[in-house]
Amino acid sequence: MAFKRFLALVIGVVLTCTFMPALNSGIAHAAAGPCIGAPPADGTAYAETRQFVDTQAWWMPDVDQPNNSTTNAGHVHLGACIPERETISSGNVTVNVRVILHDNPGKANYVSMVFKTPDSETTVQKCYLRATAKNFTCPGPSSTGKGDFVCTGTCERWLTFSWPISSFNHSGLEEVRLRGYVPQPGGKEMLANFNWQANIQNGKSLSNVSRDPFLRGKGWYTHALYCEASLRSLPLPDGPVSGIWTPSVGLTTHPDASLPATHSFISIDPDFHAVPPNRGTVLWDAAGPYGPEPFGAAPISIDTRTLANGLHKLHLRTSCRDDTLGSTNSGVTVIPFTVAN
């Protein structure tokens, strides 16, 4: 870890000296680093170490609930290389967001980026999901004023968000929220929600966001509302972990009138799109939340010595059963980590 940070510092100094004429004097720039777990499509050279975190919303029936076109809307994913807890001191917050629809009958509308501080919440940018738009752009709406992206099976789109940090009304630990809207047949709506924090230094008054300042993915569905999977051990590891790694996680409902968590699941390296589905190395699979409701957390012990060295993914899923609508809302967060023993 120490060597990695030292090497990143040296690289950052070399790059800074090389490109000094293009930089504003007196502004601190984070050292360049990789995006851990980035899909091949996103080859961006970011200005700081980032992690590709994937969040998902599921609307799928439990084993004893009927499986039909109303109760099964598959998944919607929002994933991005995020500068979680990194310092951004100039320019824009820029993120490439991957959107995946999997067996989802809806017509995807748009993804919004929201800047959240202790006393404001502002939607700064909307990128619409269009059937014919190029990847890594921010399309506007169709002639109907909405998105028009539909999918059979599994489909992927990339959106690029970029907005000035001057739009935050404070400096300090501030929050970025990504929200993906997918209206469903019959008038219901499905949302994937992704909340993370960064250290914004834009010269304004210091005021750190304090309401639930942790990494979380939330599934939202009409009537069921939110179901959330969160990581409380922050910041995310910029370098390899070894031995026994014990992150703190919360797999619970949301306190704003949402349904209670009825099941929680934690696994390493699952692949639910495989045929048959691969559950990975299951660490927890039980009724109820993991951590006390609402918004509680508890440690999970991961013996990295049982894993091969290299990249792995920690899958956190919270399910909130909705007996009124006859299906189950789930929120998923998938965090990459590297093992080196």
Side-chain angles (χ1 to χ4, degrees):
M1 176 73 75
F3 175 75
K4 176 179 179 292
R5 293 188 181 278
F6 173 75
L7 181 59
L9 178 60
V10 171
I11 294 172
V13 169
V14 171
L15 291 174
T16 300
C17 292
T18 303
F19 297 100
M20 185 62 73
L23 301 180
N24 296 322
S25 61
I27 296 178
H29 292 265
C35 178
I36 299 169
D42 189 359
T44 305
Y46 291 102
E48 60 281 314
T49 299
R50 298 192 181 201
Q51 293 84 3
F52 186 85
V53 177
D54 191 45
T55 61
Q56 305 168 23
W58 296 16
W59 180 249
M60 300 178 68
D62 208 342
V63 292
D64 62 338
Q65 293 176 313
N67 189 344
N68 54 52
S69 60
T70 301
T71 62
N72 193 337
H75 311 168
V76 56
H77 298 226
L78 290 183
C81 286
I82 59 169
E84 191 273 327
R85 302 273 165 153
E86 297 284 347
T87 297
I88 304 176
S89 56
S90 65
N92 292 1
V93 174
T94 300
V95 287
N96 296 321
V97 176
R98 186 182 70 178
V99 182
I100 292 178
L101 299 183
H102 177 72
D103 291 342
N104 192 308
K107 181 183 290 187
N109 191 1
Y110 65 89
V111 178
S112 64
M113 183 164 73
V114 177
F115 285 178
K116 178 75 171 67
T117 70
D119 52 15
S120 71
E121 180 175 327
T122 306
T123 299
V124 295
Q125 195 171 13
K126 291 182 179 180
C127 297
Y128 285 80
L129 288 154
R130 301 296 307 280
T132 59
K134 293 182 179 180
N135 281 328
F136 300 101
T137 62
C138 184
S142 69
S143 59
T144 66
K146 299 180 180 180
D148 58 8
F149 177 48
V150 294
C151 172
T152 299
T154 300
C155 306
E156 175 181 298
R157 286 289 187 275
W158 285 86
L159 304 171
T160 295
F161 291 82
S162 190
W163 206 259
I165 64 171
S166 58
S167 295
F168 287 98
N169 65 338
H170 292 291
S171 284
L173 185 68
E174 314 302 346
E175 186 163 275
V176 178
R177 298 180 175 184
L178 298 168
R179 296 171 178 155
Y181 295 80
V182 185
Q184 299 294 308
K188 302 294 193 295
E189 190 165 37
M190 189 176 185
L191 275 70
N193 300 259
F194 186 6
N195 295 14
W196 48 275
Q197 297 78 37
N199 179 25
I200 302 298
Q201 296 299 319
N202 60 8
K204 298 184 181 181
S205 60
L206 176 64
S207 185
N208 296 321
V209 68
S210 59
R211 183 178 185 271
D212 311 323
F214 43 83
L215 178 67
R216 48 203 170 117
K218 298 177 285 185
W220 190 98
Y221 198 86
T222 301
H223 183 267
L225 304 185
Y226 291 105
C227 201
E228 179 168 312
S230 61
L231 181 72
R232 309 299 179 84
S233 300
L234 299 170
L236 294 176
D238 281 350
V241 296
S242 61
I244 305 297
W245 181 40
T246 311
S248 179
V249 301
L251 280 66
T252 69
T253 189
H254 195 276
D256 295 339
S258 298
L259 297 174
T262 52
H263 202 96
S264 47
F265 178 85
I266 304 173
S267 179
I268 304 293
D269 297 332
D271 183 359
F272 294 102
H273 294 175
V275 180
N278 175 9
R279 287 164 49 88
T281 302
V282 177
L283 305 178
W284 177 267
D285 185 10
Y290 189 85
E293 297 256 54
F295 268 16
I300 185 75
S301 182
I302 301 172
D303 188 350
T304 68
R305 296 166 298 186
T306 66
L307 303 173
N309 285 342
L311 182 69
H312 296 274
K313 294 180 180 180
L314 174 63
H315 175 103
L316 309 173
R317 183 169 83 247
T318 311
S319 297
C320 301
R321 183 182 173 105
D322 186 338
D323 287 321
T324 299
L325 296 185
S327 193
T328 299
N329 177 37
S330 298
V332 176
T333 302
V334 181
I335 299 107
F337 65 98
T338 304
V339 169
N341 281 303

